[in-house]
Amino acid sequence: MSRIAARFADLKRQGRGALIPFVEAWDPDHATSMALLRGMPEAGADLIEIGMPFTDPMADGPIIQAAGKRGLAAGVKVADVLTMVRDFRVADEATPIVLMGYLNPILSYGPERFCVDAAAAGVDGLIIVDLPTEEADVLLPYSNANGLDFIRLIAPTTDDKRLPHVLSGSSGFVYYVAITGITGTRSATAEHLEAAIPRLRKATNLPIAIGFGVRSPEQAGTASRIADAAVVASALIDTLSANLDADGKARPGAVEKVLDQVRALAAAVRR
Amino acid sequence: MNNAPVANSLRTGPNERGRFGEFGGRFVAETLMPLILEVEQAYDAAKADPAFDAELQYYLKHYVGRPSPLWFAERLTKHLGGAKVYFKRDELNHTGSHKANNCMGQILLARRMGKTRIIAETGAGQHGVATATMCALFGLPCTVYMGATDVERQSPNVFRMKLLGAEVKPVTSGAGTLKDAMNEAMRDWVANVTDTYYLIGTVAGPHPYPMMVRDFQSVIGEEAKQQLQEAEGRLPDVAVACIGGGSNAMGLFHPFLDDATVRLIGVEAGGHGIETGEHAASLTGGRPGVLHGNRTYLLQDDDGQIIEAHSISAGLDYPGIGPEHSWLHDIGRVEYVSATDREALAAFQLCTRTEGIIPALEPAHALAHVTKLAPTMAADQIILMNLCGRGDKDIFAVAEHLGVKL
């Protein structure tokens, strides 16, 4: 069983949903993002999403755009993101790691080589924002061959007719983009989610995570109960960026502040 | 003129996946995927509807001012001392560039689809002005995304758009140029899926845009082919056009793709020179990748991060190129060369003085190549160049480069 499947099975036994916090690689530098990554499981992360910086993150709002920019300014490369995962795995064999990014850096690295190296580093799944089902064949054969889950995004615009098509070949979990919009801007209502998630359940047996617009512990708690997991990204990056000094370096205690926020979110999904 | 594709035609693309060879496609977030499928369906239906074509032809003739003239640039020809140079005068269109052809086509499609709000990206502001114009004509609210750098260097067009009632949103991410404006327009579209139509200005973006924009721009080549037939009784030896995203070039080239005797040359922006790394020549200096919904040649670093383009011309300042051009490059049907900022400036002045036509800096790049090519050709040979935009918008930038204070 994959780490992702094992983790969701375990949570099901506990009768609760998962918290999936997000960390942008090398934001604002390698050491800070590595400290966040290492601290997240203890703070209550059930799975972790690592953002791979890209110059043109078309689905992201200003907060994650800025995080990616800081990562790129710090000099992060695709290979460095994989190294972060490899270093994380030295002490943590259980927490699933999902990489979220855009296609071009992966194409540039080589899709097959990327999947081989990512699996070897201990990555469990991939979310590629600009790779819809229609184009998935550039990566899917290699992610499958290397045991990486290919996690699909479902949007409010994905209608019932299109759902089975989008879900074909997906594994790990399904990522429901809760709003029509970019990251870190607005939030879906509980009513919207209560209508949307059962629609997805009819089309898939995979666990469902809700992302985009999940910011507060209350929202995370609601999302993890209506679905199976809540992804929180922009709210954590907000905290980090508020704790950077004028040179863009993390102030003392910045990592702890973000991890405290993860703790509060984790408490909410355990309620 | 009937330009129906022939057997083994190069004009049948893209395939059902929106690919020209290995280029093109639909690399967009799932939120947008249903929208671009809707645009594709609507466009297919419109294409098959004679009423749509009749409506388009009406507006092209009476509002845009088509057909645009074909002009024998006699003094320039004498000056260069070689092949006869003809200009396709698309700078005489309403709004001053070829952009009107595409905007008219797409706005009629948007109306047909019942969309009530239009968004667009713009570089030099020509597409923004054309979009704002059509929105004024049809009473639709319009938001134009424009890089902050371009807002600065193309201020006449910014004012023009505002006069036309458009909201111009400066984009500060990245280098604040066309690429960043396109990112921001896509973000707007994702957030406003029900009422908004994204009116892309060039032959890039996800399928069906490269095909649709090409179709709307092909009127350039179709007219020129017929006009040259009337003037000279034959095809040109060479057709030349400048390339940023590549819509005016695609429009000129497409009707000639199956005419094997016609050399087709696309001129990219060489900026400070290809060797300096500061240019916008995606085919000459880039490699294939995925950006803005399609697979195409891109300026990118070793790690797949997109590199900022540089050009004196805001309209060519784009690190990618339409996917059909990438394919035509790889199969060798079209030659792609580059002209530097300096060469374009020289051509700009030459055209102004010899022909009394102030060209935009974009076609000045095409002309820069014509000035190199014409003298190497015989006097009975013909070069057809697309003069795709007028240069009024550029006089402030040109003055600055020439060290003149206005």
Side-chain angles (χ1 to χ4, degrees), chain B residues 103-189:
Chain B
C103 285
M104 187 54 85
Q106 285 199 57
I107 203 123
L108 294 178
L109 181 69
R111 276 160 54 86
R112 225 180 127 95
M113 293 172 73
K115 300 294 180 183
T116 55
R117 174 177 176 261
I118 304 293
I119 57 171
E121 83 295 336
T122 198
Q126 295 299 85
H127 175 60
V129 166
T131 304
T133 298
M134 306 313 166
C135 286
L137 175 66
F138 291 110
L140 292 168
C142 175
T143 300
V144 178
Y145 290 92
M146 188 169 187
T149 306
D150 292 340
V151 167
E152 193 79 4
R153 61 178 165 173
Q154 298 288 343
S155 52
N157 271 345
V158 174
F159 185 57
R160 205 169 287 162
M161 284 185 269
K162 288 180 179 168
L163 284 175
L164 289 159
E167 179 191 15
V168 180
K169 286 198 174 171
V171 178
T172 51
S173 60
T177 59
L178 182 52
K179 163 181 89 91
D180 312 297
M182 200 149 180
N183 287 336
E184 214 52 42
M186 288 192 142
R187 290 178 185 125
D188 180 312
W189 204 22

Side-chain angles (χ1 to χ4, degrees), chain A residues 72-88:
Chain A
L72 290 172
V76 69
K77 307 273 187 227
V78 171
D80 298 322
V81 181
L82 301 182
T83 301
M84 279 180 74
V85 180
R86 195 176 311 119
D87 292 347
F88 172 82

Side-chain angles (χ1 to χ4, degrees), chain B residues 49-90:
Chain B
D49 181 357
F52 180 78
D53 187 57
E55 191 182 21
L56 178 59
Q57 295 313 321
Y58 171 84
Y59 283 105
L60 286 180
K61 180 177 177 188
H62 298 287
Y63 190 74
V64 175
R66 300 212 73 91
S68 68
L70 182 76
W71 172 247
F72 172 40
E74 202 170 350
R75 289 197 68 223
L76 180 72
T77 297
K78 272 200 191 109
H79 175 85
L80 296 175
K84 291 173 99 169
V85 178
Y86 278 87
F87 290 158
K88 179 59 175 163
R89 303 280 311 270
D90 253 53

